[in-house]
Amino acid sequence: MAWRCGGKTNAELIENLFKNNLITSSRVRDAMLNVDRAHYCPDPEYAYEDSPQSIGHAATISAPHMHASAAESLLPYLKPGCRVLDIGSGSGYLTAVLAELVSPQKESSADAGLARVVGLEHIKALRDLGERNMSKSERGREMLKDGKVSFVVGDGRKGWTQGEDGEKGWDAIHVGAAAVELHQELVDQLRSPGRIFIPVEDARGGGQYIWVVDKDANGSVTKKKTYGVRYVPLTDAPK
Ligand code: SAH
């Protein structure tokens, strides 16, 4: 069914995903309408298809319905002023969509504080790719310039604590590669309340599943195993 959800333009792709219930939130639809997927796909001819695409370094830009699903899962924690960590940012596409989601809806509305979205990669060439792709639009260039979005190099299994703005913790953490375990450092870096969306390998070899990890306002953590997926692994950086 996913093959039907492509389009000739970015708007057509997103509207088709919405019509087919692969995007159900209008906030996520609007955010994805603001990010041209062709800027993030090495082969722009297939940018508006609902399919993943290789971006080199054994990485892929996920299919747009997967990005939509991740954004929808994190949505209650994506508000103006929120701090978001995108681990395994790869093409930078989801980092850009997440940045849209923590931006105020109307140009005129006051900024609810310093929203920050950090794209974290363990391969420098991909860190640079994300930044370069985002720089292709004026909106992306502005978000990079004013510090709303930054791309950094590090091991995503350890999260990211080197904020220059003195703020700590993340309202939402997205992990774009499959972990062998639910890394405690990520749970520790989550704010109360906050949410992690993370694909984790089943310990008994049963494939990968998305886990949604919530920390409530009192700091208590609940973990929920949801649907099966196929992501590239969250690994050591290549030597
Ligand atoms: N969200 C990205 C997904 C890219 S594929 C997109 O849609 O474009 C997964 C990414 O995870 C790859 O870019 C890979 O380099 C990165 N990755 C794998 N292990 C990592 C680690 N330990 N730390 C940070 N990034 C990692």
Side-chain angles (χ1 to χ4, degrees), residues 57-60 62 88 176-179 199 201 208 230-235:
H57 305 272
T60 49
S62 304
E201 293 285 352
Q208 305 169 354
R230 279 181 71 182
Y231 278 69
V232 305
L234 191 70
T235 58

Side-chain angles (χ1 to χ4, degrees), residues 95-148:
T95 319
V97 171
L98 293 169
E100 290 289 337
L101 286 163
V102 295
S103 296
Q105 307 251 288
K106 293 193 184 70
E107 298 284 334
S108 56
S109 63
D111 212 320
L114 290 164
R116 288 269 296 146
V117 181
V118 174
L120 174 57
E121 254 301 327
H122 67 163
I123 298 176
K124 174 153 188 319
L126 289 174
R127 175 250 164 247
D128 295 347
L129 177 73
E131 188 176 81
R132 210 163 53 240
N133 287 341
M134 209 171 157
S135 307
K136 290 176 186 169
S137 74
E138 171 141 24
R139 222 175 146 79
R141 284 193 296 279
E142 261 168 36
M143 287 183 178
L144 289 165
K145 198 168 144 229
D146 69 17
K148 177 174 274 176

Side-chain angles (χ1 to χ4, degrees), residues 55 57-62 67 86-94 120-123 126 154-157 174 176-177 232-237:
I55 56 170
H57 305 272
T60 49
I61 173 171
S62 304
H67 282 141
D86 182 21
I87 297 174
S89 49
S91 65
Y93 175 82
L94 186 65
L120 174 57
E121 254 301 327
H122 67 163
I123 298 176
L126 289 174
D155 184 347
R157 295 169 293 192
H174 171 262
V232 305
L234 191 70
T235 58
D236 289 335

Side-chain angles (χ1 to χ4, degrees), residues 77 168-172 186-195 213-221:
Y77 302 89
K168 280 207 171 63
W170 305 102
D171 298 283
L186 303 186
V187 180
D188 292 344
Q189 289 173 31
L190 200 60
R191 284 180 161 179
S192 301
R195 177 170 289 175
V213 181
D214 281 343
K215 197 185 268 185
D216 71 13
N218 302 319
S220 78
V221 174

Side-chain angles (χ1 to χ4, degrees), residues 13-40:
L13 164 69
I14 306 309
E15 294 297 351
N16 280 338
L17 290 168
F18 194 70
K19 268 188 224 144
N20 287 284
N21 286 322
L22 292 164
I23 301 174
T24 58
S25 143
S26 54
R27 276 186 67 206
V28 169
R29 178 196 59 192
D30 293 349
M32 289 175 76
L33 283 170
N34 275 340
V35 180
D36 188 345
R37 193 164 183 268
H39 291 170
Y40 297 83

